[in-house]
Amino acid sequence: MEEHVVWVTTRRLRPGTLEEFERAWQPTTHPEGMRRAFAYWSEDGQEITGVSFWDSKEACDSWRASEPEAQRRANMAPYVAEEREGFYRGRELAIPQR
């Protein structure tokens, strides 16, 4: 099975700021080494989890240290009450047939 390198970030948003946060969250350039990205929102719109797949941890680290990412984080900061993030390695799980 193919192993993936993922960066997961979960942010609790300040009430009523989801629209503004979504505008600030979009990167201005495509991060080098990013394969795919997904976003998941809680029903109340107050928590958002981003999951991005990378070629390597080094590629992700390079993006995280870049000026475009620093600017993106500064743009998001007024809307974020709490943030947690982490790197993971994993693979797709096989689901048994019915």
Side-chain angles (χ1 to χ4, degrees):
M1 293 233 162
E2 180 182 0
E3 184 175 271
H4 300 281
V5 176
V6 297
W7 177 27
V8 178
T9 305
T10 301
R11 294 177 175 95
R12 167 108 2 229
L13 305 181
R14 300 186 191 287
T17 63
L18 180 59
E19 257 183 62
E20 295 91 341
F21 173 81
E22 286 180 309
R23 280 193 294 275
W25 194 21
Q26 294 297 320
T28 57
T29 62
H30 179 81
E32 185 71 31
M34 180 190 279
R35 294 181 183 184
R36 299 179 78 183
F38 298 87
Y40 304 96
W41 294 263
S42 61
E43 279 189 45
D44 64 5
Q46 299 233 324
E47 189 170 274
I48 186 165
T49 297
V51 180
S52 54
F53 292 76
W54 294 83
D55 289 338
S56 66
K57 184 175 185 303
E58 293 76 23
C60 186
D61 286 343
S62 178
W63 167 252
R64 291 179 68 226
S66 72
E67 182 54 37
E69 175 62 358
Q71 184 59 54
R72 188 178 80 94
R73 285 179 174 264
N75 293 344
M76 290 186 291
Y79 314 113
V80 176
E82 178 187 345
E83 180 175 325
R84 296 179 317 276
E85 63 183 310
F87 287 100
Y88 303 90
R89 293 186 182 276
R91 64 190 187 301
E92 184 176 358
L93 300 176
I95 299 174
Q97 299 294 322
R98 290 185 187 207

